[in-house]
Amino acid sequence: MDLNSRKFKILQAIIDDYILYGIPVGSRTISKKYNMGLSSATIRNEMSDLEELGYLEQPHVSAGRIPSVKAYRLYVDSLIKSGVLEGTSSLNLQSYFNKHIKHIEDILSHATQVLSELTNYTALAILPKDTSEKIRNLKIIPVTKDTALLILVMQSGSVYNKVIRINSGLSVDTLNHISNLLTESLSNKNIDEVSGVLFDLIKDLNSNRDFLIKLSDSIKYMVNYENHNKLTLGGTSNIFNYPEYASVEKAKSILTLLDTQDELVELLKQYGEMQFTVKIGPENGIIGLDDCSIITATYSTPTNARGTIGIIGPTRMPYKHIIQILNNVSYELTNLFDDN
Amino acid sequence: MDLNSRKFKILQAIIDDYILYGIPVGSRTISKKYNMGLSSATIRNEMSDLEELGYLEQPHVSAGRIPSVKAYRLYVDSLIKSGVLEGTSSLNLQSYFNKHIKHIEDILSHATQVLSELTNYTALAILPKDTSEKIRNLKIIPVTKDTALLILVMQSGSVYNKVIRINSGLSVDTLNHISNLLTESLSNKNIDEVSGVLFDLIKDLNSNRDFLIKLSDSIKYMVNYENHNKLTLGGTSNIFNYPEYASVEKAKSILTLLDTQDELVELLKQYGEMQFTVKIGPENGIIGLDDCSIITATYSTPTNARGTIGIIGPTRMPYKHIIQILNNVSYELTNLFDDN
DNA sequence: TGTTAGCACTCAATAGCAGTGATTGCTAAT
DNA sequence: ATTAGCAATCACTGCTATTGAGTGCTAACA
């Protein structure tokens, strides 16, 4: 027994119906609504086979059947193979943004907002992390007697800042001097080059050794960790639109996850390797998220750094529709950055 | 008929019991558990009076009674009068923070986290807004041909940054020049003085007029609006700990509110006028938030700018406990800033 | 006059139960 | 290979009876 074309058609009909109504689908429904030219009894036999093959599940014996994760997976794979990811964007994301020039953080926050409105699911995204991005400018501004502010501006316009402790022996002029020296020697260098450059500088200067080492660490820390462990969220409360999360425990578990962020950030980072991912139910690997699907796409900045944007929702999800929207949004997002 | 001391004692017992268990309280419960030395019948009579006075409500005739907003208000007022706000903090917030020097944003975010864990409610806070805060440093860094980054550092170490459009006629050197000039003339000035200083500068320079005006607007915008319209949240999913929000619509409405932020930000700003506020149920004035209480306290930074931190939860709330915790947290928070 | 015991009454909540209907699996006929 | 027919299953619905926590009222009591 294998999955012939008739079985596939029936399975598809069941998935479509279940996605639409969210209640178990019976043989009679398929026979009548999806005019297959087959009686309910025949469908019944096929459904029994499909269950044996692992594509369908039965909540209880007198209920209809619901698609399994395996079925969704088949469905999504065939969708993607059929070219749902192609086609130009009918969406003009640009029009959703006002004309102010914005930071990437603002753009992304806005994009998740838009995405959540378009899909009615919760949207989530992470900022791109670009180790090859070049430093543009560096400045050390004294704040108190023994603290200063380290400000780092990247070529893309990203700004990082961090309070650092300074040796009280360092005068404002010295700091200014170091600041200028560093801007000069670090500009157009990327993060991986910082250590090397500072090492050379230490040799030349032969003073302020500890301070420069600490600076180097701070710079690396800022660029590598700050911002890149933070989820951008949109439409958090959309979760409640679905009967799957009508029970408070379910909703709580997912909202706690969104609150905690860490696990999801890791997931998105991981997914960022792929242009497009669809993780159905337990495929995402997070315990307690077995009945959620996560769909992600990557977007890129002009410097070719890649971030991830996606949505999270119940396993029962109009995959085709959502995939198209997400595809468009990530495409438009990339465009938007190019223009800016 | 007025609220004599016995009635008050009974009312207090009812409130205590209801806060603890969340189910309507009957006369027998009070008579037995709170050994008043009175029979249930007597309590019954008193409860009937209390209902007439507006302190109690009956969900239905054969249920017990629950405290009204008026009752909670009386209870909280008497708590505050009895000096619950005094007494030193037994809490050492400092120990919750690691030893890294942090930005105020990080500290506040951490503080809401701690507060939500201590109270089991959702904590919310806004950053202080200090119009008297002085500018320390200003820098304009070109990013693309026609955009630049405006970076503003305040005396407190707060950093604002914004992408601005520049006239392509402006060279890097000119920008640098303007940047230095502005740092010189604006440092130690507060926001209200920016317009005046720039006006004088325009007269002297007699060029780049439009650019300087735009800069002045940008500066004012950054300091006045950025950051100050953003809620810092902690323990969002704590809402689900309470049977009051077991229904999904309830939970959804409050989470949507937290999502939207605007209304709550306005509220907190307004409450910032007071050292301490307890708004019970409809007293907060937000529609759809009739059955939530909001308790806030102000904290202050070394420059005497005041921010607001608080919690939001169901009307049934252990006010005494929460007020004490919040009082301690705001006190410790203020201390923390002083040390830093 | 305030307090209390007693009692009838109310009503939400719960449990039990029968009926309904959607759906299945199996069998026998086509 | 397909289908009609049928018994069996079982969640769901709606009805009824029961329970029990609670009230208000009245009459007796200190």
Side-chain angles (χ1 to χ4, degrees):
Chain A
M1 179 177 58
D2 61 345
L3 192 71
N4 58 33
S5 111
R6 191 172 77 178
K7 279 193 174 58
F8 185 77
K9 253 177 74 183
I10 291 173
L11 182 57
Q12 191 140 350
I14 293 172
I15 295 175
D16 284 339
D17 201 83
Y18 185 67
I19 283 175
L20 203 54
Y21 302 106
I23 45 176
V25 189
S27 54
R28 206 146 174 278
T29 311
I30 298 301
S31 166
K32 286 182 113 178
K33 277 210 313 205
Y34 295 83
N35 47 310
M36 295 266 167
L38 291 171
S39 77
S40 68
T42 310
I43 307 284
R44 215 140 53 226
N45 289 329
E46 295 288 40
M47 281 166 84
S48 179
D49 289 353
L50 284 167
E51 181 167 359
E52 207 176 314
L53 287 165
Y55 292 109
L56 292 179
E57 284 164 6
Q58 238 180 332
H60 58 86
V61 65
S62 74
R65 283 174 167 100
I66 61 173
S68 68
V69 169
K70 191 175 168 187
Y72 282 124
R73 171 49 57 200
L74 183 73
Y75 179 78
V76 167
D77 284 347
S78 75
L79 270 182
I80 290 173
K81 221 185 297 173
S82 79
V84 96
L85 283 177
E86 286 141 37
T88 52
S89 168
S90 54
L91 172 83
N92 188 358
L93 202 61
Q94 190 93 44
S95 68
Y96 281 94
F97 291 84
N98 59 31
K99 282 298 167 198
H100 284 141
I101 304 167
K102 294 248 172 86
H103 272 146
I104 180 164
E105 288 89 346
D106 298 325
I107 294 178
L108 201 60
S109 155
H110 207 123
T112 54
Q113 214 87 5
V114 169
L115 182 58
S116 77
E117 268 165 44
L118 287 173
T119 59
N120 254 307
Y121 291 102
T122 301
L124 62 182
I126 52 173
L127 287 167
K129 182 172 159 186
D130 184 4
T131 47
S132 73
E133 201 189 10
K134 305 281 194 291
I135 293 170
R136 178 183 293 276
N137 208 311
L138 182 150
K139 200 155 176 61
I140 302 166
I141 298 170
V143 175
T144 65
K145 196 162 74 330
D146 45 19
T147 62
L149 204 58
L150 169 62
I151 297 181
L152 189 68
V153 182
M154 308 303 279
Q155 293 289 359
S156 67
S158 300
V159 179
Y160 300 96
N161 69 81
K162 189 171 186 296
V163 182
I164 53 172
R165 191 174 288 281
I166 53 173
N167 197 314
S168 30
L170 291 170
S171 71
V172 176
D173 285 340
T174 316
L175 281 178
N176 253 327
H177 178 64
I178 294 179
S179 179
N180 288 334
L181 205 64
L182 286 178
T183 296
E184 208 173 297
S185 49
L186 284 177
S187 78
N188 265 316
K189 297 283 187 295
N190 69 37
I191 290 307
D192 296 332
E193 297 170 287
V194 169
S195 295
V197 172
L198 286 203
F199 186 73
D200 291 345
L201 222 58
I202 289 171
K203 277 195 299 192
D204 292 353
L205 275 170
N206 215 358
S207 68
N208 302 119
R209 192 175 163 277
D210 292 347
F211 182 61
L212 287 176
I213 290 175
K214 215 159 58 181
L215 265 188
S216 160
D217 288 344
S218 288
I219 292 172
K220 278 188 280 185
Y221 178 84
M222 284 196 294
V223 177
N224 284 327
Y225 299 103
E226 238 167 73
N227 292 338
H228 300 301
N229 292 302
K230 223 172 58 197
L231 271 188
T232 306
L233 292 173
T236 317
S237 55
N238 277 354
I239 298 159
F240 294 112
N241 294 335
Y242 303 93
E244 278 87 344
Y245 300 101
S247 94
V248 177
E249 305 101 66
K250 279 277 158 96
K252 174 164 185 167
S253 76
I254 188 166
L255 281 171
T256 307
L257 205 72
L258 292 175
D259 239 12
T260 323
Q261 301 214 347
D262 306 3
E263 262 187 303
L264 285 172
V265 168
E266 277 316 305
L267 214 63
L268 287 195
K269 276 184 186 168
Q270 195 180 311
Y271 293 170
E273 307 286 311
M274 304 283 294
Q275 180 58 33
F276 210 93
T277 72
V278 182
K279 295 290 173 182
I280 301 159
E283 293 177 356
N284 62 53
I286 294 186
I287 41 167
L289 215 61
D290 317 343
D291 44 10
C292 281
S293 286
I294 301 178
I295 307 184
T296 66
T298 53
Y299 63 90
S300 31
T301 63
T303 56
N304 266 322
R306 286 155 82 199
T308 311
I309 185 166
I311 61 101
I312 182 169
T315 326
R316 173 182 74 91
M317 184 186 278
Y319 290 95
K320 187 174 173 184
H321 183 216
I322 301 293
I323 287 175
Q324 280 173 333
I325 291 177
L326 187 56
N327 195 37
N328 287 352
V329 167
S330 69
Y331 177 81
E332 291 279 331
L333 195 54
T334 303
N335 268 359
L336 204 63
F337 287 131
D338 275 340
D339 296 348
N340 253 321
Chain B
M1 178 177 57
D2 61 345
L3 194 71
N4 57 34
S5 110
R6 192 173 76 177
K7 279 193 173 57
F8 185 77
K9 251 179 75 184
I10 291 173
L11 182 58
Q12 191 139 349
I14 293 171
I15 294 175
D16 284 340
D17 202 83
Y18 185 68
I19 283 175
L20 202 54
Y21 301 106
I23 44 177
V25 188
S27 54
R28 204 144 175 278
T29 311
I30 299 301
S31 165
K32 286 182 111 178
K33 278 210 313 205
Y34 295 84
N35 47 310
M36 296 265 167
L38 291 171
S39 79
S40 67
T42 310
I43 305 286
R44 215 140 52 227
N45 289 329
E46 295 288 41
M47 281 166 85
S48 180
D49 288 354
L50 283 167
E51 181 167 0
E52 207 176 314
L53 286 166
Y55 291 108
L56 292 179
E57 284 164 6
Q58 238 179 332
H60 58 85
V61 65
S62 74
R65 282 172 168 101
I66 61 173
S68 68
V69 169
K70 190 175 168 187
Y72 283 124
R73 172 48 58 201
L74 183 73
Y75 179 78
V76 168
D77 284 347
S78 75
L79 271 182
I80 290 173
K81 219 184 299 172
S82 79
V84 98
L85 284 177
E86 286 142 37
T88 51
S89 168
S90 54
L91 173 82
N92 188 359
L93 202 60
Q94 189 94 43
S95 68
Y96 280 94
F97 291 84
N98 60 30
K99 281 297 166 202
H100 285 142
I101 304 167
K102 293 250 173 86
H103 272 146
I104 180 166
E105 288 88 347
D106 298 325
I107 295 178
L108 201 59
S109 156
H110 208 124
T112 54
Q113 214 86 6
V114 169
L115 182 57
S116 76
E117 268 165 44
L118 287 173
T119 60
N120 254 308
Y121 291 102
T122 301
L124 62 181
I126 52 172
L127 288 166
K129 182 173 160 184
D130 183 5
T131 47
S132 73
E133 201 189 9
K134 303 282 195 292
I135 293 170
R136 178 182 294 276
N137 209 309
L138 182 149
K139 199 152 177 62
I140 301 166
I141 298 169
V143 175
T144 65
K145 197 162 71 339
D146 44 19
T147 62
L149 205 57
L150 169 62
I151 298 181
L152 189 69
V153 183
M154 307 303 280
Q155 293 290 359
S156 68
S158 300
V159 179
Y160 300 96
N161 69 82
K162 190 171 186 297
V163 182
I164 53 172
R165 191 174 288 280
I166 52 173
N167 196 316
S168 31
L170 292 170
S171 71
V172 176
D173 286 340
T174 316
L175 282 178
N176 252 327
H177 178 66
I178 294 179
S179 178
N180 289 335
L181 204 65
L182 286 180
T183 296
E184 207 173 297
S185 49
L186 285 178
S187 77
N188 265 316
K189 297 283 187 297
N190 69 37
I191 289 306
D192 296 332
E193 296 170 286
V194 168
S195 295
V197 172
L198 286 203
F199 186 72
D200 290 345
L201 222 57
I202 289 170
K203 276 195 299 193
D204 290 354
L205 275 170
N206 214 358
S207 68
N208 302 119
R209 192 175 162 276
D210 292 348
F211 182 61
L212 287 177
I213 289 176
K214 216 159 59 184
L215 265 188
S216 160
D217 289 345
S218 288
I219 292 171
K220 277 188 280 186
Y221 177 84
M222 285 196 293
V223 177
N224 283 327
Y225 298 103
E226 238 168 74
N227 292 338
H228 300 301
N229 291 303
K230 225 172 57 197
L231 271 187
T232 306
L233 291 173
T236 317
S237 55
N238 277 356
I239 299 159
F240 294 111
N241 295 335
Y242 304 93
E244 278 87 344
Y245 299 102
S247 95
V248 178
E249 305 100 69
K250 279 275 158 95
K252 175 165 185 166
S253 77
I254 188 166
L255 281 172
T256 307
L257 204 73
L258 291 176
D259 239 13
T260 322
Q261 301 215 345
D262 306 3
E263 262 186 303
L264 285 172
V265 168
E266 278 315 304
L267 214 65
L268 287 196
K269 277 183 186 169
Q270 194 180 313
Y271 293 172
E273 306 287 310
M274 304 283 293
Q275 180 58 35
F276 210 92
T277 72
V278 182
K279 295 290 172 180
I280 301 160
E283 292 176 356
N284 62 53
I286 294 186
I287 41 168
L289 215 61
D290 317 343
D291 44 9
C292 282
S293 286
I294 300 178
I295 307 183
T296 66
T298 53
Y299 63 89
S300 31
T301 64
T303 55
N304 266 324
R306 285 155 81 200
T308 311
I309 185 166
I311 62 100
I312 183 169
T315 326
R316 172 182 75 90
M317 184 185 278
Y319 289 95
K320 186 173 173 184
H321 183 215
I322 301 293
I323 287 175
Q324 280 172 333
I325 291 177
L326 187 57
N327 194 38
N328 287 353
V329 168
S330 69
Y331 177 81
E332 292 279 332
L333 196 54
T334 303
N335 268 0
L336 204 63
F337 287 130
D338 274 343
D339 295 347
N340 252 321

